[in-house]
Amino acid sequence: QVQLVESGGGLVQPGGSLRLSCAASGSIFSINAVGWYRQAPGKQRELVATISYGVTTNYADSVKGRFTIFRDNAKNTVSLQMNSLKPEDTAVYYCNANITEMYSISSRAYWGQGTQVTVSS
């Protein structure tokens, strides 16, 4: 059984920083592409950033230059460094990972439970 657990959310003032982490555990052969999504109250879930198994990254226009996604394949973790936070970044942040389990010939997507980020003075 594969699990994704996010951590690092909290309350921060505008202009502040937070680092979110997504840790995968279980019977994992490989973690392929990983994405961070967020969902604000009353809004649809939106893609924030993605990272391939290598180093290819993509960002939503709203976070370019402020957020950085990176991964540690040895530790099965993907992190999202968020700087210059704005009130509009307030949302529940979710990790989504495409994972191939041990002894499996296919991969599937897994979601974490989410972590709340609140940017407010």
Side-chain angles (χ1 to χ4, degrees):
Q1 186 77 11
V2 173
Q3 281 191 318
L4 293 181
V5 177
E6 299 103 331
S7 61
L11 173 64
V12 63
Q13 291 187 341
S17 298
L18 282 175
R19 178 176 293 186
L20 306 183
S21 290
C22 174
S25 62
S27 183
I28 297 170
F29 176 73
S30 68
I31 300 175
N32 309 309
V34 179
W36 280 97
Y37 292 74
R38 66 187 181 188
Q39 188 166 18
K43 294 188 177 182
Q44 289 189 333
R45 191 172 296 188
E46 64 174 356
L47 180 63
V48 175
T50 63
I51 186 166
S52 69
Y53 180 81
V55 297
T56 303
T57 59
N58 286 287
Y59 299 92
D61 288 343
S62 59
V63 306
K64 279 181 182 176
R66 300 189 297 123
F67 289 12
T68 302
I69 186 170
F70 57 97
R71 64 191 295 165
D72 185 335
N73 290 331
K75 296 182 179 179
N76 287 342
T77 59
V78 174
S79 299
L80 185 69
Q81 177 67 42
M82 305 186 295
N83 299 328
S84 302
L85 283 161
K86 304 175 182 180
E88 50 264 43
D89 294 319
T90 296
V92 178
Y93 284 70
Y94 298 90
C95 174
N96 174 272
N98 185 273
I99 294 175
T100 303
E101 295 186 51
M102 296 289 268
Y103 314 115
S104 176
I105 60 172
S106 61
S107 62
R108 55 158 286 194
Y110 292 84
W111 287 93
Q113 82 289 352
T115 185
Q116 177 71 46
V117 171
T118 302
V119 184
S120 175
S121 55

